[in-house]
């Protein structure tokens, strides 16, 4: 079975050189892996949370679609579509909203940041907070779970959303799976080697800093922009420090090892900044020239882009439509001619037991999950530096009396597990206090079976 990887691109701006080096280029290279089933989509529903200018949304959708295709994305090889062309996505969002705990969404970074900002300004905590912003993690969960993605490439600020998608999916499985894992538990994929490019002023390249290098500008405009890169005051003939020059960092992201070694040596030997900028221009123009031509050709034929995206939507819906029908059946939204099936959980299969499963995070830390015999996740541990510590902790949990377990419930309908005075694990969030108490009982019962 191929690994399914899903990537969303929010349509609120025009891609620049930093987007290309940091996300577009590595994603396109990864899509060529024969063992990968890649899904790429324009996250235009997400864009509505951030932007209320319809013309900007439309233009951004066009530019971003053209950029990915011009950069080499093979629409025949991958599934490339617009989020808004998949009606199953908003329907799944509602199904997931009905099982997502408010306490879980209260902890979303974007919502918490907005509340904190309002409090600092003396405003109502929820001033200016839309339900779109608050429910953003549920929509993202629907994007991921609709296609049962195994891995989701994200920046570190988005890891929480992938974890929320996993929690919401597992909660849905527990309530409606009837013994079947309807949703795959996704994992955040962090690319440590992805380039983060400096902008013209040395800060991270970002539209908010107005320091970007346009990706598909004309050669004349590209050269003019590169000429504005800030450098130090060292004159021609004076040695330059490559490791302290963001112009060198930009060059490094596109050069071969041989080109980079030569450029470094020439800077140390006193290469003039003007000549260094000319070399960067020539390198980028060679890298982007053909893609620039394809981009402008696509932009001049929006009908062709529409055909490609509609074909991608049809391909995506071959997966989404029958799967949503299965989910509708699971929650009870059935045709009246359908056989009425019991919603009671299936009996446990013989031989299945509660279990611990340890894994390594992208930052190098280690964690474990604890699953009941029916597959429901009951705990997610806090990070451990040493994997041996996980073995010691899980062994201790399996051997001690369940009556000695220290569980603490909180106001977010979650509980934490404490051992020897330290908090070691958290439960998923539950919809209400009654469900929380039932989950705590299930945890004690599941741990008790390990000692049998």
């Amino acid at each position: 079975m191929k690994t399914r990887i899903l990537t969303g691109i929010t349509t609120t701006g025009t891609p620049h050189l930093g987007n290309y080096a940091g996300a577009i280029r590595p994603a396109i290279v990864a899509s060529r892996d024969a063992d990968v089933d890649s899904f790429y989509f324009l996250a235009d529903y997400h864009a509505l949370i951030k932007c209320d200018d319809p013309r900007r949304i439309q233009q951004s959708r066009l530019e971003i679609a053209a950029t990915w295709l011009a950069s080499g994305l093979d629409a025949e090889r991958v599934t490339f579509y617009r989020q808004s062309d998949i009606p199953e996505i908003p329907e799944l969002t509602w199904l997931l909203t009905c099982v997502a705990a408010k306490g879980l969404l209260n902890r979303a970074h974007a919502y918490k940041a907005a509340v904190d900002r309002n409090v600092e300004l003396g405003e109502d905590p929820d001033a200016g907070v839309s339900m779109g912003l608050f429910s953003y993690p549920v929509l993202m969960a629907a994007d991921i779970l609709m296609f049962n993605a195994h891995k989701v490439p994200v920046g570190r600020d988005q890891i929480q959303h992938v974890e929320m998608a996993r929690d919401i999916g597992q909660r849905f499985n527990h309530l409606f799976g009837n013994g079947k894992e309807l949703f795959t538990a996704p994992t955040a994929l962090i690319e440590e080697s992805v380039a983060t490019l400096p902008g013209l002023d040395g800060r991270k390249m970002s539209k908010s800093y107005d320091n970007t290098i346009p990706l598909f500008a004309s050669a004349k405009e590209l050269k003019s922009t590169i000429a504005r890169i800030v450098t130090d005051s060292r004159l021609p003939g004076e040695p330059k420090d490559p490791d302290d020059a963001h112009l060198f960092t930009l060059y490094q992201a596109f050069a071969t090892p041989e080109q980079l070694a030569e450029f470094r040596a020439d800077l140390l030997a006193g290469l003039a900044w003007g000549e260094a900028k000319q070399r960067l221009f020539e390198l980028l123009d060679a890298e982007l020239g053909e893609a620039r031509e394809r981009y402008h050709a696509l932009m001049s034929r929006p009908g062709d882009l529409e055909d490609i995206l509609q074909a991608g939507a049809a391909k995506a819906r071959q997966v989404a439509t029958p799967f949503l029908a299965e989910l509708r059946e699971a929650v009870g939204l059935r045709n009246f001619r359908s056989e009425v099936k019991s919603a009671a959980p299936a009996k446990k299969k013989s031989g299945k037991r509660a279990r611990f499963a340890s894994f390594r995070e992208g930052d190098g830390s280690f964690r474990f999950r604890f699953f009941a015999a029916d597959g429901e996740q009951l705990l997610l541990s806090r990070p451990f530096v040493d994997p041996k510590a996980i073995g010691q902790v899980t062994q201790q949990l399996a051997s001690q009396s369940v009556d000695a377990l220290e569980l603490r419930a909180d106001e977010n309908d979650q509980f934490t597990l404490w051992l020897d005075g330290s908090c070691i694990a958290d439960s998923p969030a539950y919809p209400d206090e009654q469900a929380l108490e039932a989950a705590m009982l299930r945890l004690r019962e599941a741990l008790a079976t390990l000692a049998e």
Side-chain angles (χ1 to χ4, degrees):
M1 182 178 177
K2 291 185 176 182
T3 298
R4 181 166 290 176
I5 297 180
L6 180 140
T7 300
I9 310 101
T10 307
T11 55
T12 53
T14 302
H16 53 70
L17 194 68
N19 301 139
Y20 175 77
I24 297 172
R25 184 174 60 177
I28 291 173
V29 171
S31 73
R32 296 167 184 155
D33 187 333
D35 296 324
V36 167
D37 183 16
S38 297
F39 281 63
Y40 294 88
F41 68 96
L42 305 181
D44 45 2
Y45 279 144
H46 287 290
L48 298 178
I49 299 169
K50 305 175 182 179
C51 179
D52 58 5
D53 182 347
R55 287 176 296 182
R56 181 182 173 191
I57 295 287
Q58 176 70 349
Q59 184 66 17
S60 179
R61 293 160 89 222
L62 186 65
E63 292 174 347
I64 291 175
T67 295
W68 278 81
L69 294 170
S71 299
L73 186 68
D74 185 347
E76 296 293 329
R77 185 185 186 95
V78 306
T79 304
F80 183 53
Y81 59 97
R82 276 181 305 228
Q83 183 186 36
S84 59
D85 287 332
I86 314 298
E88 292 81 3
I89 293 291
E91 184 169 351
L92 177 56
T93 299
W94 180 248
L95 298 184
L96 298 180
T97 297
C98 293
V99 303
K102 180 176 181 292
L104 180 68
L105 300 184
N106 284 343
R107 295 190 291 278
H109 297 324
Y111 172 66
K112 287 178 65 178
V115 170
D116 291 345
R117 188 163 51 249
N118 285 334
V119 170
E120 288 176 6
L121 296 173
E123 301 276 358
D124 181 278
D126 286 324
V129 176
S130 68
M131 283 305 298
L133 173 63
F134 184 74
S135 302
Y136 180 100
V138 186
L139 177 56
M140 185 167 174
D143 292 326
I144 297 168
L145 298 175
M146 183 83 263
F147 300 104
N148 277 320
H150 300 102
K151 296 182 179 180
V152 185
V154 291
R156 292 197 173 277
D157 60 332
Q158 292 286 320
I159 293 176
Q160 184 195 45
H161 288 146
V162 180
E163 292 176 342
M164 285 181 164
R166 186 168 58 216
D167 290 343
I168 293 169
Q170 288 172 340
R171 180 65 178 159
F172 192 97
N173 286 342
H174 173 67
L175 292 173
F176 303 112
N178 202 25
K180 180 179 179 181
E181 293 292 306
L182 294 166
F183 293 123
T184 298
T187 302
L189 181 62
I190 307 298
E191 294 288 350
E192 299 291 352
S193 60
V194 166
T196 299
L197 297 190
L200 302 178
D201 55 4
R203 294 180 294 177
K204 177 183 176 181
M205 192 175 295
S206 170
K207 290 183 288 291
S208 61
Y209 294 147
D210 193 26
N211 66 353
T212 62
I213 297 177
L215 184 56
F216 291 135
S218 67
K220 181 179 179 181
E221 185 179 351
L222 176 62
K223 186 173 184 177
S224 174
T225 303
I226 290 173
R228 301 193 343 252
I229 294 175
V230 175
T231 56
D232 61 34
S233 58
R234 298 180 193 182
L235 300 174
E238 291 187 80
K240 280 80 174 175
D241 181 3
D243 297 324
D244 193 40
H246 46 276
L247 188 148
F248 180 80
T249 304
L250 288 164
Y251 193 92
Q252 184 177 26
F254 298 92
T256 64
E258 295 75 18
Q259 289 172 322
L260 189 63
E262 181 182 357
F263 192 55
R264 171 182 284 275
D266 289 346
L267 285 172
L268 291 170
L271 181 70
W273 286 125
E275 176 60 26
K277 292 177 181 180
Q278 175 64 24
R279 290 196 194 180
L280 175 61
F281 162 71
E282 292 172 356
L283 182 70
L284 293 179
D285 194 48
E287 166 98 9
L288 303 173
E290 291 184 9
R292 181 196 300 138
E293 292 182 10
R294 291 194 295 269
Y295 172 81
H296 288 295
L298 286 165
M299 289 293 290
S300 68
R301 300 195 305 273
D304 290 353
L305 279 174
E306 184 66 25
D307 290 343
I308 292 169
L309 288 167
Q310 288 297 332
K315 188 176 177 181
R317 295 194 69 197
Q318 288 177 0
V319 177
T321 302
F323 185 44
L324 185 65
E326 182 181 1
L327 298 176
R328 289 172 61 91
E329 178 81 14
V331 301
L333 304 179
R334 307 182 180 113
N335 186 300
F336 286 158
R337 294 187 179 91
S338 300
E339 178 186 354
V340 178
K341 300 177 182 178
S342 172
K347 294 181 180 179
K348 296 179 183 178
K349 296 181 180 179
S350 60
K352 282 197 171 185
R353 294 170 56 88
R355 62 187 177 87
F356 293 98
S358 58
F359 63 100
R360 187 173 186 174
E361 292 279 24
D363 62 2
S365 64
F366 297 86
R367 293 195 187 208
F368 69 80
R369 296 191 181 93
F370 181 60
F371 297 92
D374 62 359
E376 179 191 2
Q377 180 178 312
L378 300 177
L379 290 174
L380 173 64
S381 77
R382 300 287 175 90
F384 290 78
V385 175
D386 182 3
K388 294 180 181 178
I390 290 183
Q392 295 169 354
V393 167
T394 55
Q395 188 175 20
Q396 186 175 352
L397 289 173
S399 61
Q400 75 173 25
S401 167
V402 295
D403 293 331
L405 286 176
E406 184 179 359
L407 303 179
R408 301 182 187 177
D410 62 27
E411 69 276 12
N412 296 316
D413 291 327
Q414 263 188 305
F415 64 86
T416 51
L417 171 63
W418 293 70
L419 194 63
D420 298 332
S422 298
C423 180
I424 62 167
D426 304 271
S427 77
Y430 293 95
D432 51 44
E433 185 176 351
Q434 184 177 358
L436 177 66
E437 291 176 355
M440 294 169 73
L441 178 60
R442 282 198 302 275
L443 174 64
R444 293 183 185 278
E445 292 173 345
L447 285 171
T449 64
L450 297 179
E452 295 174 357

